[in-house]
Amino acid sequence: IDLEPNGNEHVKYFRVIGNRITRNTVQGISIGMSDEFLSTSTISDITVSGNTLDDNGLDATPTRMRFGLLVSNASGVVVENNTITRSHGAGISVQYAKGTIVRGNRVSGTLKAGQYAQAGAAIHLEKDTGTVCTGNTLTGNAGPAISTYQSSSKVSGNTTS
């Protein structure tokens, strides 16, 4: 599922709920937009909940990460109660986003793909503002449970093993 506005489009109040998404070449779910539309488009107030994502990001390489679920260049996104397994790169990635809530997700078995420190992370937060990451269960991932890079997020109450 790729939710991405193009030039002069505004996506708001969209829900991605209760889907089973498996074996995609890139992300299982991608919420956001490319840099070329940042000045003319917006995406906000999106809920991603109750989805099952398994074995996504199949074209990941040693130099290219993919994600089970990606939020980028968006605001007010809620990612909750999803089950994400065997992602190639990172389970959930929040990049250049504002006010994202990541809670109650179960991320396991993330595979190490890409050359960066966050490869294999259950959750990766990068250059985001105001993300709240809480109540997630993160088990058996090849990299760090939670990876941050230039992130101003609040991380608390997560279970890792």
Side-chain angles (χ1 to χ4, degrees), residues 70-141:
L70 172 64
V71 176
S72 66
N73 296 317
S75 63
V77 176
V78 176
V79 176
E80 64 184 356
N81 303 321
N82 299 287
T83 300
I84 302 169
T85 55
R86 298 188 302 165
S87 298
H88 298 251
I92 298 171
S93 184
V94 178
Q95 302 176 15
Y96 304 93
K98 295 178 183 168
T100 305
I101 298 172
V102 179
R103 67 176 169 223
N105 298 287
R106 292 170 305 286
V107 183
S108 64
T110 301
L111 305 168
K112 200 167 190 97
Q115 60 188 356
Y116 307 103
Q118 69 269 24
I123 298 174
H124 174 65
L125 308 172
E126 180 174 333
K127 298 182 180 178
D128 57 311
T129 305
T131 298
V132 175
C133 181
T134 188
N136 299 288
T137 302
L138 315 170
T139 59
N141 298 289

Side-chain angles (χ1 to χ4, degrees), residues 4-11 33 37 40-43:
E4 178 179 7
N6 293 315
N8 296 315
E9 292 180 344
H10 305 281
V11 177
M33 67 187 120
F37 299 123
T40 62
S41 301
T42 59
I43 185 164

Side-chain angles (χ1 to χ4, degrees), residues 16-53:
V16 180
I17 299 174
N19 299 285
R20 180 167 175 75
I21 302 164
T22 62
R23 300 197 48 80
N24 286 283
T25 304
V26 290
Q27 284 65 248
I29 297 175
S30 180
I31 307 295
M33 67 187 120
S34 62
D35 291 344
E36 67 185 292
F37 299 123
L38 289 178
S39 65
T40 62
S41 301
T42 59
I43 185 164
S44 62
D45 301 307
I46 308 298
T47 299
V48 180
S49 180
N51 298 286
T52 300
L53 292 83

